[in-house]
Amino acid sequence: MKLVQKLPIGLSLACVMMMSGCSKEELQTPEPKVESVNTHSNLKTDALPWIAPTKAYAGIKILPNFWERRSLDSGDPVKYPFGTSNFSRPWGNIALQWKESFPALQGQPWNSFVTVTSTTTDKSNSSKMAKVGTTIQFLKTGFTYYLTFYVASARPKLDGSGKLPTFVGKCNIALKSPNTGQYYESQYFDVNMLEAQPNTWIKKTIEFKATNSEMRFDFSATSIQDGKTAYAHLFIGQDAIWEKRF
């Protein structure tokens, strides 16, 4: 019993001796390390300008993500179809074929593109054409930008009525920004398809000024002959838009 009573006393003396050899700093309770945050860091960058690419599964009345039919500026979707096609077939339909060989775009990551139809030579006659579009985002108002896209005039063997389609006269690009009320401020860029060989992709880079942080991008086309259906195609790849640097 005496041994048991002395052990706690011996342990207490040992602890006192150990503590006496330690400095005050060594015995402080450890605190978590706090890293300072630079609230003025330039790590945050503005979002880059962006337009939705034409990457999608092929199909009639099927459009890529963030694309839509401009219902107020389009004709009957049955008479004037729209959708997504590929290099192999119109609308990706195994029952249809391109009349002439459709060239692939070298160095591009996918083979899908938007297709619209038209039976009018007048681009203001929206009741006889299909029109689709998307929204360009993350623009800086007042800044100038470049936008690159590809257009083509290729026709299937037969149109929806069983007739041989014709070629495109012009591909029509319109950039619009909201203005007062329901009106839009517009910039137009027409691509004359008669100056190029049919079934050939035409690379086009346009320069435009941003009049808003978001702008509508509309695509339509005209036919070279009234009453005959023309098929116009639009391809937009990645990083298609960039800011002009002086």
Side-chain angles (χ1 to χ4, degrees):
M1 292 297 292
K2 289 181 180 180
L3 181 60
V4 174
Q5 290 176 350
K6 290 180 179 179
L7 283 174
I9 296 174
L11 291 173
S12 298
L13 289 173
C15 290
V16 172
M17 292 175 65
M18 181 180 68
M19 293 176 66
S20 64
C22 298
S23 66
K24 183 179 179 180
E25 290 77 9
E26 290 171 334
L27 292 173
Q28 287 180 341
T29 303
E31 296 180 359
K33 183 178 180 182
V34 179
E35 296 181 358
S36 61
V37 178
N38 183 4
T39 57
H40 300 286
S41 172
N42 60 358
L43 291 178
K44 292 183 179 180
T45 58
D46 295 330
L48 295 175
W50 182 79
I51 184 171
T54 55
K55 182 179 181 180
Y57 290 108
I60 194 167
K61 296 183 182 180
I62 294 176
L63 291 172
N65 288 335
F66 306 105
W67 286 77
E68 63 181 4
R69 172 178 174 258
R70 301 301 192 198
S71 57
L72 297 179
D73 299 315
S74 291
D76 185 335
V78 176
K79 292 182 179 179
Y80 307 100
F82 64 93
T84 303
S85 299
N86 57 40
F87 299 132
S88 301
R89 300 179 184 279
W91 323 122
N93 189 335
I94 60 173
L96 301 176
Q97 294 181 6
W98 297 114
K99 181 171 177 58
E100 293 88 7
S101 175
F102 204 113
L105 276 164
Q106 298 298 323
Q108 296 298 333
W110 52 80
N111 68 347
S112 57
F113 46 87
V114 169
T115 297
V116 297
T117 56
S118 174
T119 62
T120 178
T121 58
D122 180 6
K123 73 174 185 178
S124 66
N125 191 354
S126 59
S127 65
K128 293 187 177 181
M129 65 174 63
K131 182 182 290 187
V132 299
T134 185
T135 300
I136 304 174
Q137 300 182 44
F138 311 122
L139 298 172
K140 298 175 185 176
T141 303
F143 281 63
T144 300
Y145 294 88
Y146 293 113
L147 172 62
T148 294
F149 55 85
Y150 300 79
V151 289
S153 174
R155 54 186 182 167
K157 286 188 174 181
L158 298 174
D159 65 14
S161 62
K163 298 178 181 179
L164 177 65
T166 189
F167 291 110
V168 174
K170 290 183 180 180
C171 287
N172 310 312
I173 304 295
L175 301 182
K176 303 179 179 182
S177 60
N179 205 337
T180 306
Q182 298 298 316
Y183 297 97
Y184 283 84
E185 192 175 356
S186 304
Q187 300 172 55
Y188 297 100
F189 305 88
D190 295 340
V191 183
N192 189 346
M193 305 301 290
L194 299 179
E195 297 177 353
Q197 293 294 324
N199 305 84
T200 301
W201 285 107
I202 300 173
K203 183 178 180 180
K204 184 75 174 179
T205 298
I206 61 174
E207 179 180 330
F208 70 96
K209 187 174 183 179
T211 52
N212 200 5
S213 60
E214 293 187 352
M215 297 181 68
R216 278 180 40 166
F217 175 97
D218 292 350
F219 175 64
S220 60
T222 59
S223 173
I224 63 172
Q225 183 178 347
D226 277 325
K228 294 201 70 174
T229 304
Y231 288 69
H233 316 286
L234 171 72
F235 179 97
I236 295 180
Q238 292 177 321
D239 305 319
I241 182 171
W242 66 96
E243 182 182 320
K244 182 178 181 180
R245 300 290 183 178
F246 297 96

